[in-house]
């Protein structure tokens, strides 16, 4: 039997990047997979490519900062698959600026997507999981949520917030048999990191003992472990996966 047979997983921000690889890994492991994103074209492409592994992959356009849209998402998934067993809060954005130059809107939009969006999805899905008396919630944080990073005060605050949120929710939901964990990736090659200037990328590379950037599939392997039954006794943890960087 595959690891995620009969499980339904919602993965936010999964039309591309790390989320897409997590969705691929889960589809290969026989889950019903719901691709959630705001870019319809990318959703369509990703769903088409993943249906090769598994017919039970669907895409739903949803902005995770909208309570109404997330409520509709949850209702649609329950109608289609009957349960929600896994939530991966992966959608995230950056708006990097030094503190002195950061506009309030840069601060607010990053906190809204990365932290408030994670709260909204977790709250709506937790209601279902609490009734089911089981579930796995996985939040994608970042190493900069632990170390901080110049030019990323908004992003680091949102990712540090995710770690604290993970610990709190793990305590609240444990009595209902729901595990809540986080992954803190280092530098992973995706469209988010591609837009960084070459000299910044080189600086990051020099700080990584394994001397290479991570790939989305590195995160997907750990995500599978933290969302299948092999990790049933792990909760409230943040696991760093960064080639030794921090
Ligand atoms: P990406 O930019 O390639 O993918 C993020 C996806 O989230 C995009 O498809 C985007 O459309 C979607 N999204 C953005 N706002 C949304 C919203 N309001 N509602 C629904 N979907 C939305 O980024 P990447 O690199 O794949 O990152 C995925 C996660 O991993 C993010 O949370 C990021 O902060 C985190 N991360 C990434 C690292 C890296 O080196 N790439 C390092 C550490 C953490």
């Amino acid at each position: 039997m595959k690891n995620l047979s009969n499980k339904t997983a919602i993965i936010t921000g999964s039309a591309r990047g790390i989320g897409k690889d997590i969705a691929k890994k889960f589809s290969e492991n026989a889950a019903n997979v719901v691709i959630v994103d705001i870019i319809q074209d990318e959703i369509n492409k990703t769903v088409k490519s993943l249906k090769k592994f598994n017919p039970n992959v669907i895409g739903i356009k949803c902005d995770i900062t909208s309570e109404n849209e997330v409520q509709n998402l949850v209702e649609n998934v329950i109608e289609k698959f009957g349960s929600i067993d896994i939530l991966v809060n992966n959608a995230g954005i950056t708006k990097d600026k030094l503190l002195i130059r950061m506009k309030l809107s840069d601060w607010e939009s990053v906190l809204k997507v990365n932290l408030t969006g994670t709260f909204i999805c977790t709250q709506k899905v937790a209601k279902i999981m609490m009734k089911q008396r089981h579930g796995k919630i996985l939040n994608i944080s970042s190493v900069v949520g632990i170390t901080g990073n110049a030019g990323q005060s908004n992003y680091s605050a949102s990712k540090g917030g995710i770690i604290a949120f993970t610990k709190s929710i793990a305590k609240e939901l444990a009595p209902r048999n729901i595990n809540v964990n986080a992954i803190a990736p280092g530098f992973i090659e995706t469209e988010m990191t591609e837009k960084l200037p070459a000299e910044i990328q080189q600086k990051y590379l020099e700080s990584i003992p394994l001397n290479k950037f991570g790939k989305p599939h590195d995160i997907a392997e750990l995500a599978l472990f933290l969302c299948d039954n092999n990790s049933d006794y792990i909760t409230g943890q943040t696991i760093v996966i960064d080639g030794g960087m921090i």
Side-chain angles (χ1 to χ4, degrees), residues 65 70-71 73 78 145 169:
T65 66
V70 175
Q71 184 58 38
L73 163 74
I78 289 293
I169 299 307

Side-chain angles (χ1 to χ4, degrees), residues 84-147:
I84 303 172
D85 309 287
I86 298 165
L87 168 67
V88 182
N89 285 307
N90 164 79
I93 60 167
T94 50
K95 288 215 166 133
D96 299 352
K97 296 253 167 40
L98 292 172
L99 173 70
I100 297 303
R101 298 208 189 103
M102 189 175 290
K103 296 195 193 88
L104 181 59
S105 58
D106 297 326
W107 172 268
E108 285 181 338
S109 58
V110 169
L111 267 290
K112 192 168 179 189
V113 175
N114 298 5
L115 193 54
T116 308
T118 295
F119 160 74
I120 292 172
C121 294
T122 303
Q123 189 185 48
K124 303 276 181 218
V125 170
K127 280 192 186 145
I128 305 287
M129 290 180 170
M130 286 169 81
K131 279 193 216 136
Q132 293 172 173
R133 293 190 172 268
H134 75 263
K136 300 266 186 178
I137 298 172
L138 177 62
N139 299 322
I140 306 299
S141 175
S142 164
V143 288
V144 304
I146 300 167
T147 61

Side-chain angles (χ1 to χ4, degrees), residues 4 8 20 25 27 47 49 53 55 57 76 99 107 120 133 139 215 237:
L4 300 179
T8 297
K20 182 178 172 182
K25 179 62 59 189
S27 350
V47 169
S49 71
F53 306 102
V57 177
N76 285 338
L99 173 70
W107 172 268
I120 292 172
R133 293 190 172 268
N139 299 322
K215 306 265 188 224
Q237 302 306 303

Side-chain angles (χ1 to χ4, degrees), residues 13 16 18 37 63-64 90 141 155 159 186 188 190 192-193:
R16 68 176 197 208
I18 292 172
D37 211 292
D63 180 342
I64 60 158
N90 164 79
S141 175
Y155 183 75
K159 294 298 186 178
I188 309 298
T190 67
M192 184 181 267
T193 45

